[in-house]
């Protein structure tokens, strides 16, 4: 399932600007369909898992 950038931002509870920053940095994967940018739902899950793992290692 593909999400709009806005829907992906809502899932992460971040702003649209922050979501675009995450996409630009490569922290969250996305695909282009024509002129539209879409975020695979799995990319959101993978990002959250990476954050959790990083925080566990830092503790």
């Amino acid at each position: 399932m593909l999400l709009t950038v806005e829907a992906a931002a809502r899932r992460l509870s971040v702003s649209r600007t922050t979501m675009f920053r995450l996409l630009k940095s490569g922290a969250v994967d996305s695909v282009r369909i024509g002129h539209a940018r879409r975020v695979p739902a799995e990319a959101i899950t993978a990002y959250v898992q990476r954050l959790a793992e990083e925080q566990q290692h830092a503790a």
Side-chain angles (χ1 to χ4, degrees):
M1 177 161 131
L2 296 174
L3 305 168
T4 63
V5 173
E6 291 79 6
R10 281 193 301 275
R11 284 212 179 172
L12 288 176
S13 299
V14 299
S15 70
R16 183 175 180 269
T17 301
T18 298
M19 190 71 228
F20 272 110
R21 197 173 302 129
L22 290 169
L23 296 173
K24 185 175 181 178
S25 72
V28 176
D29 293 331
S30 66
V31 296
R32 288 192 65 78
I33 300 177
H35 293 288
R37 170 99 25 216
R38 296 291 181 257
V39 180
E42 302 84 34
I44 299 296
T45 302
Y47 174 69
V48 172
Q49 287 175 343
R50 280 193 310 276
L51 283 178
E53 288 171 7
E54 288 173 7
Q55 290 179 13
Q56 285 177 351
H57 293 301

